[in-house]
Amino acid sequence: MRMRKKKHLKERLADCADLIISDIMRYNGDIQSVFQNSNPLHMEIGCGKGAFILETAKRHPDINFIAVEKNYNVLILAAEKIKDAGLSNVKFIAGDANLLRAFETRTKCDIIYINFCDPWHKNSYRRRRLTHAQHLMLWEKLLHENGEIHFKTDNKNLFEFSLNSFSEYDMKLKNITFDLHNSAYKDENVMTEYERLFSAQGQPIYRCEAAFRQKAE
């Protein structure tokens, strides 16, 4: 269901302007410089209403976070959460994940979080999946050597597709679970809004971590 346009959206976005990167090109390929420090950088692709990025940033004040979200009506909810919490270690990029190609030469993250992305059910749309090889090539350029993707979904078919995609890309897989909330990793897990909804309905949550291998000299 399409989200209804938020009231006073323009004014609310202006109130959060210091959190939203509106002109990515001004950073000359180095998004880390927006924080004016050298702390490690993590990135969430598709942050939704911001529950995950809010709690994760609270737990790790010594890490910088970039949250990407293309829907302004959703992004504003996340940005207002961060503003109200007074956090200085989160910035937002408004737009499609492909905008990140502007940073692939200089920006280096330690972790990219992909939580409950669009499964693009039809096989003919598989190239749009964020765990398809064409996106993995971008994530690899944005990550440090041995950088990791932390992936969660409620969609078993997407999860199996992703495990195969990671393996075919010669990534190292670890901490794989087909039932996150009944696994050894549940205590460290930070839930998203979708995750709470799906879990309340009895839907198992699938999760894994995939690391790019260091390239041989």
Side-chain angles (χ1 to χ4, degrees):
M1 182 173 65
R2 188 171 184 178
M3 176 167 285
R4 184 177 301 173
K5 184 177 180 180
K6 297 301 181 185
K7 292 182 178 180
H8 311 295
L9 178 62
K10 185 176 180 180
E11 294 82 0
R12 292 166 69 181
L13 288 169
D15 287 341
C16 295
D18 58 328
L19 297 176
I20 301 171
I21 301 169
S22 57
D23 181 10
I24 62 174
M25 302 311 296
R26 66 177 290 192
Y27 297 100
N28 193 29
D30 183 13
I31 197 63
Q32 175 75 335
S33 62
V34 71
F35 293 100
Q36 299 182 339
N37 63 49
S38 57
N39 290 345
L41 180 66
H42 293 188
M43 186 178 295
E44 183 183 11
I45 310 299
C47 68
K49 297 178 183 178
F52 176 86
I53 203 68
L54 173 67
E55 180 59 29
T56 305
K58 282 181 177 180
R59 293 186 185 187
H60 303 283
D62 54 343
I63 295 175
N64 296 328
F65 295 89
I66 292 289
V68 182
E69 175 56 56
K70 63 182 179 181
N71 188 329
Y72 278 96
N73 293 290
V74 178
L75 182 148
I76 189 58
L77 300 177
E80 288 174 342
K81 286 183 176 72
I82 297 299
K83 185 179 180 68
D84 291 345
L87 299 178
S88 60
N89 60 331
V90 180
K91 300 291 182 183
F92 295 88
I93 293 177
D96 187 89
N98 284 311
L99 284 175
L100 298 173
R101 297 187 188 282
F103 305 119
E104 65 185 24
T105 56
R106 296 185 61 192
T107 293
K108 297 298 178 184
C109 307
D110 291 321
I111 296 175
I112 290 177
Y113 304 100
I114 302 176
N115 296 319
F116 301 92
C117 61
D118 192 328
W120 294 104
H121 295 286
K122 291 183 179 180
N123 193 49
S124 58
Y125 291 159
R126 64 187 181 279
R127 291 178 62 85
R128 300 184 185 184
R129 297 169 188 163
L130 294 183
T131 54
H132 186 277
Q134 73 168 2
H135 283 102
L136 295 182
M137 286 188 285
L138 173 58
W139 310 144
E140 184 177 23
K141 291 177 180 178
L142 289 169
L143 285 162
H144 288 293
E145 289 186 344
N146 299 315
E148 297 181 349
I149 293 174
H150 291 191
F151 177 65
K152 287 196 291 187
T153 181
D154 66 302
N155 188 292
K156 186 176 182 180
N157 290 336
L158 176 62
F159 190 62
E160 292 175 345
F161 168 88
S162 300
L163 292 178
N164 289 328
S165 184
F166 294 146
S167 296
E168 289 170 4
Y169 206 85
D170 195 32
M171 298 178 72
K172 295 180 291 186
L173 289 164
K174 63 178 182 179
N175 297 337
I176 300 170
T177 175
F178 283 75
D179 190 3
L180 172 59
H181 295 169
N182 290 301
S183 73
Y185 318 113
K186 64 180 180 180
D187 292 337
E188 297 180 5
N189 182 52
V190 177
M191 287 202 283
T192 74
E193 290 89 357
Y194 277 126
E195 187 172 355
R196 292 185 184 281
L197 175 63
F198 297 142
S199 180
Q201 296 172 350
Q203 171 67 46
I205 304 302
Y206 311 101
R207 183 186 183 276
C208 71
E209 299 169 16
F212 292 98
R213 297 181 189 272
Q214 185 172 347
K215 299 298 184 183
E217 297 294 338

